[in-house]
Amino acid sequence: MLIERSINCSVSFIQSCNEGCPKSRSLSPKTTSKRQWMVLAVLAYGNFCVAACVSLQAPFFPAECDKKGVTPEVYGLIFGVYELVILFASPLFGKLLSFITPNFFLQSGLFMAGGTTILFGLLDHIPDTFDFTLFAFVLRIFEGLGAAAFLTACYTLMPLEFPENIPFLFACLETCFGVGLIVGPTCGGALFELGEYPMPFIVLGGLMLLGSVLALIVLPESGDQTDCKKSPSIFKFITDYGVILDIITIAGVLNLIGFNAASLEQHLRQFALSPTEIGSIFIITGSIYALTSPLWGKIGGKGERPRWMALFGSVTTVIGLLLLGPTTFLPLKAELWLVIVSLVIVGIGMAAKLVGAYIAASSDATERRGYPNESSTHAMISAMYFSSCSAGAFVGPSLGGALLGSIGYRAATDVILFFEIFTVIALIVYQCFGPKIHKSQPLLI
């Protein structure tokens, strides 16, 4: 039911975003075959499982690392290396798709990610700190390779199977991924209480392995033919002040998410919460994001300038960060209710930032810079989006672990706060001087 409601929200969002753009058809039982529905179900299920598996350990893995003698700086890198692998592996897998069919990457990616997730659940049997750390890094690297293979194949199969529904289905799959990020910590905390450390990894890893079997059954013929049409250069695309600002905005959101994934659990220990309660707190920001995204989509669809939305989101995020620690220069004590309120505010800001930045990049590409409104352009924009997400998601936990071990959570939030303030200033400058910048900047298409 939660997934269905989230997909419905996502559908509303993408439809509203497309009001001012060339229309894409919505899925209809009359125009969509049974096989296409099955393909969509596998892609959605895989996105959900990948996200749930990567986020499930947030409520309890830092505490397990503390037991093994692993420092916050190191386990922050264990969280972050997953995204670093995706950042570098995805372009490589994209090139290999010219020689290997997407369905093979999808099936093998789910199998590898599911298998390594299950093996991750056996780490508590390793007593030595060095061995524990080494195997944790190795397993996260291979899990990242599996996720990169799946995601690359998924977003290659999508336009092949549904060439007229790309924006619509992009939102659906992203929503499934987001729901997985929400459900993962909650289920992880509950399963940890039920069966201790191995249980969450065995259950969710097994679900991912089931997904690889389903993909093998449903996709034996899908993706055998690929369109090798040359796509626009992403390097030329990002040589634009507006796109650079969009990248900073998107990366900042994932930077904050990753920062909290690696450090918030230790901050919450002072409130003596159970793993399930901690997992529930981890879903607040993602839930608020899912609930408010349709609103920002409607605003963007009515022709409002999307970077004003991003600016509003950045200012809102700054307010949330002031209260989260709370920041060291406010005379406030850390309170559970204050953490919850700040996470709600941050969720509202994140939604405005991500929706605004993505719409801005899309409209700039087709309307201002003259890129053709076709799948290759959308793939380039998606590549920019995912690369920005992966970069932010790597820096966030790595930085969070390092700062947590050296200066503590409250002071660490000051560092993230200063980054958000920089984003606010950059957005204000761009909104004031953007037209003049574009007049002096050549259109690199």
Side-chain angles (χ1 to χ4, degrees):
M1 185 62 70
L2 177 60
I3 297 176
E4 182 179 353
R5 287 200 298 268
S6 298
I7 292 178
N8 288 336
C9 288
S10 180
V11 168
S12 300
F13 158 65
I14 198 65
Q15 285 176 337
S16 61
C17 287
N18 285 338
E19 285 179 8
C21 305
K23 303 256 183 183
S24 64
R25 283 195 302 146
S26 298
L27 293 180
S28 168
K30 295 182 179 179
T31 59
T32 307
S33 67
K34 181 180 178 180
R35 188 185 68 82
Q36 285 180 309
W37 283 114
M38 294 175 66
V39 170
L40 178 58
V42 169
L43 298 183
Y45 179 84
N47 272 270
F48 171 82
C49 287
V50 167
C53 285
V54 73
S55 63
L56 69 93
Q57 68 266 51
F60 56 87
F61 185 68
E64 186 68 26
C65 287
D66 287 341
K67 293 178 184 177
K68 302 293 185 181
V70 180
T71 64
E73 293 89 345
V74 174
Y75 67 67
L77 289 173
I78 293 174
F79 274 104
V81 72
Y82 175 91
E83 295 292 344
L84 186 65
V85 170
I86 293 179
L87 176 64
F88 288 103
S90 293
L92 173 62
F93 289 152
K95 294 291 184 182
L96 291 177
L97 283 171
S98 300
F99 311 98
I100 304 173
T101 58
N103 52 339
F104 173 80
F105 269 104
L106 190 142
Q107 295 154 7
S108 59
L110 284 176
F111 181 83
M112 179 182 292
T116 51
T117 298
I118 293 175
L119 292 175
F120 208 89
L122 304 178
L123 287 177
D124 65 323
H125 296 292
I126 302 177
D128 182 73
T129 300
F130 177 81
D131 292 341
F132 177 89
T133 305
L134 175 62
F135 281 103
F137 269 111
V138 171
L139 290 174
R140 287 288 282 182
I141 288 171
F142 278 96
E143 186 182 357
L145 287 172
F150 167 79
L151 292 172
T152 304
C154 175
Y155 287 93
T156 302
L157 277 172
M158 184 183 66
L160 290 175
E161 293 287 343
F162 308 93
E164 299 180 0
N165 307 103
I166 296 172
F168 181 88
L169 291 178
F170 175 84
C172 289
L173 297 181
E174 279 297 290
T175 297
C176 291
F177 194 91
V179 171
L181 291 176
I182 294 171
V183 172
T186 307
C187 288
L191 290 170
F192 179 82
E193 286 194 73
L194 182 64
E196 297 186 344
Y197 182 83
M199 181 66 75
F201 299 100
I202 292 173
V203 172
L204 291 176
L207 290 176
M208 194 180 294
L209 290 179
L210 176 61
S212 69
V213 175
L214 293 175
L216 186 63
I217 296 172
V218 173
L219 304 172
E221 299 177 356
S222 180
D224 290 337
Q225 300 295 326
T226 58
D227 182 6
C228 294
K229 180 180 178 180
K230 185 177 180 181
S231 60
S233 170
I234 191 170
F235 296 104
K236 291 184 178 180
F237 173 68
I238 63 175
T239 310
D240 179 87
Y241 296 118
V243 175
I244 292 173
L245 188 54
D246 296 330
I247 291 172
I248 293 173
T249 303
I250 294 168
V253 172
L254 275 296
N255 178 53
L256 176 55
I257 293 174
F259 169 79
N260 272 335
S263 59
L264 181 59
E265 184 270 342
Q266 190 175 104
H267 181 59
L268 294 173
R269 291 180 194 176
Q270 62 187 300
F271 305 119
L273 303 175
S274 68
T276 301
E277 290 171 331
I278 293 176
S280 299
I281 291 176
F282 269 92
I283 75 171
I284 291 174
T285 299
S287 300
I288 296 300
Y289 169 80
L291 290 172
T292 57
S293 287
L295 171 63
W296 298 118
K298 288 182 181 180
I299 294 174
K302 291 180 179 179
E304 301 295 332
R305 293 183 179 180
R307 289 195 181 92
W308 284 113
M309 290 167 47
L311 175 58
F312 173 85
S314 293
V315 172
T316 304
T317 303
V318 166
I319 296 172
L321 283 170
L322 285 170
L323 304 176
L324 183 58
T327 186
T328 55
F329 48 82
L330 287 180
L332 297 173
K333 288 177 59 179
E335 301 282 354
L336 181 59
W337 70 267
L338 198 59
V339 172
I340 294 173
V341 169
S342 64
L343 290 175
V344 171
I345 296 173
V346 166
I348 296 172
M350 281 171 42
K353 288 181 66 177
L354 277 180
V355 173
Y358 185 82
I359 296 176
S362 299
S363 60
D364 271 9
T366 56
E367 296 175 13
R368 179 173 64 82
R369 303 184 68 191
Y371 283 94
N373 186 28
E374 60 186 22
S375 60
S376 59
T377 299
H378 293 301
M380 178 183 62
I381 296 168
S382 297
M384 179 276 295
Y385 177 81
F386 286 120
S387 297
S388 303
C389 288
S390 294
F394 168 72
V395 172
S398 304
L399 182 64
L403 293 175
L404 185 65
S406 58
I407 61 177
Y409 185 82
R410 288 192 63 174
T413 59
D414 293 346
V415 178
I416 307 299
L417 174 64
F418 292 144
F419 178 86
E420 285 299 321
I421 292 174
F422 168 78
T423 305
V424 169
I425 295 172
L427 284 165
I428 292 174
V429 171
Y430 184 86
Q431 291 301 98
C432 294
F433 301 103
K436 294 181 180 179
I437 294 174
H438 294 319
K439 286 181 181 179
S440 62
Q441 182 181 23
L443 296 183
L444 300 174
I445 62 175

